[in-house]
Amino acid sequence: MSSQLPAPTLATADTSFTRRNALVASLGLLALDPVRATGPKKTVPSPDLWPHALAVPGGIAHLDLGAAAMRPMAHLDDVPLLVLGDANDWTALVGIALTTTPGPASISVQSASGLPRQVDFTVIPKHYPTQKLKVASSKVDLSEDDEARFERERVHMANVLATFTVPLPNASMLQMAAPVSGRRSSSFGLRRIFNGQPRSPHSGMDIAAASGTPVLAPLPGRIIDTGDYFFGGNTVVMDHGGGLLTMVGHLSAIHAKVGDLVRTGDRVASVGATGRVTGPHLHFGVVLNRKMVDPALFLVA
């Protein structure tokens, strides 16, 4: 496992955001900042903006920040947010943790000129179904050594997922290509019960594929972590800029190394059955502002 994090920057990124897309961004579902000087905010969702807006636990809110000569800085609980747009209109994309209690929420916004302000939104409830799985008992009732290993890996991964680099991605490149083709065998957010014992909800999307199937980069980015994890098995983490990361796990082989720049469609790994699994498949995870969010919001249905 990689023990140190690089300070990655992507090779190139166009941070321009067209007027049309900026206007579309203001129409995101439940993108609720207070009424602006131009009039009441519309809340009609647009299917053209990626990722899709869905302000639920595990989802993404699109918050209209208005016009400003320079890109505002926005934070959720001191964690920097991805802000896209141009001087005419800026939009914050907010990843919402699965553990978030539905109800009122807010982010803080600081413009180059002006006092800090709060932008409010509402997290709405979503029901996630339950999935029961049977796996090796050693992957549920951990030994003392395995518990210690998991704790080391948890701390390391938290540092990896805190990566926030520039340049920021272009709004037009936020629609992801699926890393493998196949049936989505286990959806994001499932309340999982392993061997009769409740465990953490599913933090990604499982895609059924045969062992050895090529795993492709879903967006341009940089490899920031590779390793063999107790639960995730062989794993690759990619940084796409602005706190947007992706990860692929349970791999049989890793074909990239930390520091590699990748393009959409570049092979980074092969499907496998490492870690806590019931058979070969790909675990695909998406991180936005350190929160695991539903990959389906970035993919064509």
Side-chain angles (χ1 to χ4, degrees), residues 75-117:
H75 291 79
L76 175 68
D77 298 329
D78 297 324
V79 176
L81 299 173
L82 176 57
V83 176
L84 300 176
D86 60 22
N88 294 310
D89 205 1
W90 298 99
T91 299
L93 302 185
V94 185
I96 304 169
L98 262 171
T99 55
T100 300
T101 300
S106 64
I107 66 170
S108 60
V109 180
Q110 175 67 65
S111 298
S113 57
L115 297 174
R117 61 191 174 98

Side-chain angles (χ1 to χ4, degrees), residues 17 21 24-25 46-53 60 62 82 84 91 93 170-177 184 219 244 295-301:
F17 193 46
N21 281 344
V24 169
S46 169
D48 300 324
L49 182 66
W50 298 89
H52 292 317
I60 297 170
H62 295 177
L82 176 57
L84 300 176
T91 299
L93 302 185
N170 185 309
S172 65
M173 62 179 270
L174 293 183
Q175 180 179 339
M176 295 184 183
R184 297 175 188 178
L219 288 176
L244 177 62
L297 298 175
F298 291 83
L299 299 173
V300 176

Side-chain angles (χ1 to χ4, degrees), residues 120-273:
D120 299 320
F121 65 106
T122 299
V123 178
I124 59 176
K126 179 176 180 177
H127 171 72
Y128 290 101
T130 298
Q131 181 184 43
K132 297 181 179 181
L133 297 167
K134 183 70 175 178
V135 298
S137 60
S138 62
K139 294 295 185 180
V140 179
D141 300 309
L142 274 58
S143 68
E144 185 175 327
D145 287 345
D146 287 340
E147 191 75 52
R149 174 186 171 183
F150 167 70
E151 180 59 22
R152 290 193 302 271
E153 293 175 352
R154 185 192 65 78
V155 172
H156 170 77
M157 185 56 71
N159 288 330
V160 173
L161 300 189
T163 299
F164 189 100
T165 58
V166 293
L168 303 179
N170 185 309
S172 65
M173 62 179 270
L174 293 183
Q175 180 179 339
M176 295 184 183
V180 296
S181 298
R183 178 177 58 88
R184 297 175 188 178
S185 57
S186 184
S187 299
F188 175 87
L190 286 173
R191 306 298 173 177
R192 289 185 143 181
I193 299 177
F194 287 96
N195 300 356
Q197 300 183 45
R199 290 295 185 265
S200 298
H202 192 212
S203 62
M205 169 191 290
D206 287 349
I207 304 175
S211 186
T213 301
V215 178
L216 311 179
L219 288 176
R222 185 174 182 179
I223 308 296
I224 59 170
D225 189 73
T226 64
D228 177 14
Y229 289 87
F230 183 78
F231 289 124
N234 292 328
T235 298
V236 173
V237 182
M238 290 165 274
D239 172 28
H240 308 289
L244 177 62
L245 315 176
T246 58
M247 64 172 62
V248 287
H250 303 317
L251 309 167
S252 61
I254 295 173
H255 306 298
K257 63 182 184 299
V258 171
D260 284 353
L261 295 175
V262 294
R263 299 165 298 180
T264 301
D266 283 351
R267 185 175 187 175
V268 297
S270 298
V271 171

Side-chain angles (χ1 to χ4, degrees), residues 37-48:
T38 53
K41 180 180 301 302
K42 298 178 181 179
T43 57
V44 180
S46 169
D48 300 324

